[in-house]
Amino acid sequence: MTKAASRRTSKQIYVLNGPNLNRLGLREPEIYGTTTLAEIEALCREAAGRHPLEFRQSNAEHQLIDWIHEAIDQASGVIINPAGLSFRSIPILDALKMFPGPIFELHISNIHRREEIYRHSLMSPVVTAVLAGLGPDGYPTAVAAMLRRLGPRRA
Ligand code: DHK
């Protein structure tokens, strides 16, 4: 399916979250804020309105890869925060290369202002766009931008 074709379907938007993001709210609040992942999911669903949205989190690299494979057939767009795997996972990079629709890479913190180990994402060269540093608000912002990119839904 071409990128253009995937825009007109009302397939789900997949929002995928990597390791340690299940601890949001408690984890390094000075960097990630106090908003929990459940609250971020609610913000995404509100931003998606009637458009179907799948919101998931895993601490396991293989699980994220399996969900990206699933998205190849089930999703119109992917929003992914690979978290710490952003800087190490060639398998996730390879999986994202196979996704035919738009991909937004998202980081809650501005990774480019952080320690060197956080500054070079392997994913950025293969994604449509990168959002970093907007805090939890980056998620509903990404969902709204994805809806605009996907265009009007087929009735
Ligand atoms: C989340 C993580 O877990 C870190 O490993 C990344 C990212 C940054 C975030 O800002 O959402 O470096």
Side-chain angles (χ1 to χ4, degrees):
M1 177 185 289
T2 64
K3 284 200 179 210
S6 70
R7 262 201 294 276
R8 284 186 294 279
T9 69
S10 57
K11 282 184 174 184
Q12 303 175 74
I13 292 171
Y14 273 44
V15 182
L16 303 178
N17 296 280
N20 303 305
L21 294 172
N22 55 309
R23 300 293 297 175
L24 283 174
L26 301 170
R27 173 193 181 195
E28 299 176 278
E30 69 285 0
I31 297 173
Y32 301 107
T34 57
T35 306
T36 66
L37 194 64
E39 289 164 341
I40 287 174
E41 178 175 358
L43 292 170
C44 289
R45 293 195 182 286
E46 186 188 352
R50 288 188 313 111
H51 198 100
L53 181 132
E54 200 59 38
F55 189 96
R56 302 181 187 170
Q57 186 277 334
S58 177
N59 294 326
E61 181 181 35
H62 73 85
Q63 181 62 81
L64 292 163
I65 293 163
D66 289 346
W67 288 340
I68 295 167
H69 291 173
E70 183 187 308
I72 291 168
D73 303 316
Q74 306 294 329
S76 52
V78 169
I79 296 166
I80 184 166
N81 183 344
L85 292 170
S86 307
F87 318 101
R88 291 282 176 273
S89 180
I90 292 174
I92 289 183
L93 168 66
D94 290 342
L96 290 174
K97 285 179 186 173
M98 294 185 270
F99 183 73
I103 304 168
F104 293 173
E105 175 187 354
L106 188 152
H107 301 282
I108 295 167
S109 65
N110 180 350
I111 58 174
H112 304 292
R113 282 176 57 181
R114 298 191 56 191
E115 305 93 299
E116 180 59 29
I117 56 170
Y118 294 124
R119 289 189 195 151
H120 305 288
S121 168
L122 297 178
M123 313 304 157
S124 301
V126 302
V127 302
T128 312
V130 180
L131 294 88
L134 291 176
D137 190 45
Y139 283 86
T141 301
V143 171
M146 182 64 79
L147 287 173
R148 287 191 294 275
R149 176 162 288 263
L150 293 172
R153 286 182 66 198
R154 229 190 255 169

